Amino acid sequence: MGAEMRQVVLKIAFDGGAYHGFQLQPGAVTVQQRLEEAASRLFSKERVVMHGCSRTDAGVSAREFYCTFAVETALSPAKIKLALLALLPEDITVYDCYFTEAGFHPRFAAQSKRYSYTIRNTPSRDPFLGRYQYSYYRKLDEKRMDAAAQLFVGRHDFRGFMSAGSSVLDTVREVYECTVRREGDLLRMEIEADGFLYNMVRIIAGTLVYVSEGKIALSDLPGIIASGRRELAGPTLPGRGLCLERVNLAPHRCDRGEERCLEEEQNRRG
């Protein structure tokens, strides 16, 4: 069979410790850059353009992430996967590869995303896993933090939990689940929502730390969420504790042109 234009979808995972996030940035090494370099070498093109299911910040990892690109090829998905694995650095892997309909974009197809934030709550840091954890030396109350986490569940305007610099206009999101549990020396927050604002998970995590410390009263948290005032919430914790755990995709085709779809999605979810 000869070469045909194909819409390729990759299911990947990456250790974000060496990267300035997924999306291309001038003067910085990103996951998208490494994927595009590998695909461009494979298909002998000047540049293959990747589109991801989400932006990520510097140092953030992903256990499940989807990206897509269009290319003319006669290779099967299995051969594309094996070839990319050989070309990619060891901190990026490809779990699956398949073809889909033209116009598919994983960012538009993401119905929900699930993140975790991990805090190492001991007087010393871990020299082996420190790049995946935020070390916090004072004792944290996971039960109090979990009670506070439940207050984020539901449909809210989260503009007070968004860092400056975002151009997103619609700041309403629905959080399906938000929990905190202790696993030995580690505290793990998990949150799933239909979308997230810029630094939203890291700010929620910082707010829960403030609740544990008594800097924010549990009874005041609903009012802080409703106020939309960033200065009332907690700090933005470092990116290294954050991991994108899962992305729930639904088939979606953008028939209005990619630029229009990107604009609409940016205004809606970020």
Side-chain angles (χ1 to χ4, degrees):
M1 182 181 294
E4 298 180 45
M5 182 59 66
R6 296 287 196 175
Q7 190 75 30
V8 183
V9 179
L10 302 177
K11 178 182 177 182
I12 69 170
F14 56 84
D15 174 351
Y19 300 104
H20 290 261
F22 174 80
Q23 192 146 323
L24 290 177
Q25 295 183 45
V29 179
T30 68
V31 177
Q32 182 180 358
Q33 177 186 339
R34 291 293 182 245
L35 285 164
E36 290 185 354
E37 288 172 349
S40 297
R41 287 179 61 190
L42 174 59
F43 297 107
S44 302
K45 292 175 66 68
E46 183 176 339
R47 184 189 170 200
V48 172
V49 179
M50 294 274 179
H51 298 288
C53 63
S54 180
R55 296 184 177 96
T56 62
D57 296 331
V60 175
S61 298
R63 286 192 173 88
E64 182 176 285
F65 193 99
Y66 292 88
C67 51
T68 186
F69 61 96
V71 70
E72 190 172 339
T73 182
L75 295 177
S76 68
K79 289 184 177 179
I80 293 173
K81 173 187 171 181
L82 289 175
L84 288 176
L85 281 171
L87 294 168
L88 286 166
E90 291 187 356
D91 51 10
I92 304 173
T93 192
V94 180
Y95 286 134
D96 197 10
C97 176
Y98 56 90
F99 296 146
T100 190
E101 63 179 357
F104 173 85
H105 196 306
R107 189 173 169 196
F108 308 140
Q111 292 187 310
S112 69
K113 299 171 188 175
R114 188 176 188 89
Y115 280 92
S116 68
Y117 194 93
T118 302
I119 300 174
R120 179 176 172 83
N121 191 208
T122 67
S124 60
R125 62 183 179 270
D126 187 329
F128 304 105
L129 300 177
R131 67 190 294 173
Y132 313 113
Q133 305 164 353
Y134 169 54
S135 291
Y136 194 85
Y137 303 142
R138 292 190 295 274
K139 179 71 172 179
L140 292 171
D141 185 340
E142 67 273 13
K143 292 183 179 179
R144 188 173 179 83
M145 293 172 70
D146 186 61
Q150 308 306 314
L151 299 176
F152 288 97
V153 176
R155 191 168 183 81
H156 306 285
D157 187 337
F158 284 99
R159 67 186 183 278
F161 295 82
M162 177 178 68
S163 290
S166 174
S167 59
V168 172
L169 302 178
D170 181 2
T171 53
V172 174
R173 300 292 182 273
E174 184 168 1
V175 173
Y176 304 126
E177 182 182 349
C178 189
T179 61
V180 175
R181 69 179 187 273
R182 180 177 287 275
E183 301 171 351
D185 292 334
L186 302 180
L187 264 68
R188 182 180 174 92
M189 181 188 84
E190 293 203 13
I191 183 169
E192 183 167 345
D194 61 356
F196 292 93
L197 303 173
Y198 180 40
N199 286 341
M200 177 175 157
V201 179
R202 294 162 59 188
I203 296 170
I204 289 176
T207 301
L208 298 183
V209 169
Y210 266 25
V211 169
S212 176
E213 290 188 328
K215 295 180 179 179
I216 293 177
L218 187 61
S219 58
D220 290 341
L221 191 51
I224 291 173
I225 296 172
S227 74
R229 294 172 59 186
R230 173 68 187 92
E231 69 272 17
L232 298 181
T236 306
L237 296 189
R240 63 180 175 273
L242 186 62
C243 183
L244 178 57
E245 298 285 346
R246 187 173 70 239
V247 180
N248 296 315
L249 294 182
H252 178 90
R253 178 170 178 165
C254 178
D255 293 319
R256 298 179 305 284
E258 182 178 300
E259 185 174 336
R260 175 71 180 277
C261 282
L262 284 169
E263 180 182 354
E264 291 178 3
E265 183 69 10
Q266 183 180 33
N267 290 336
R268 187 166 66 92
R269 291 191 179 180

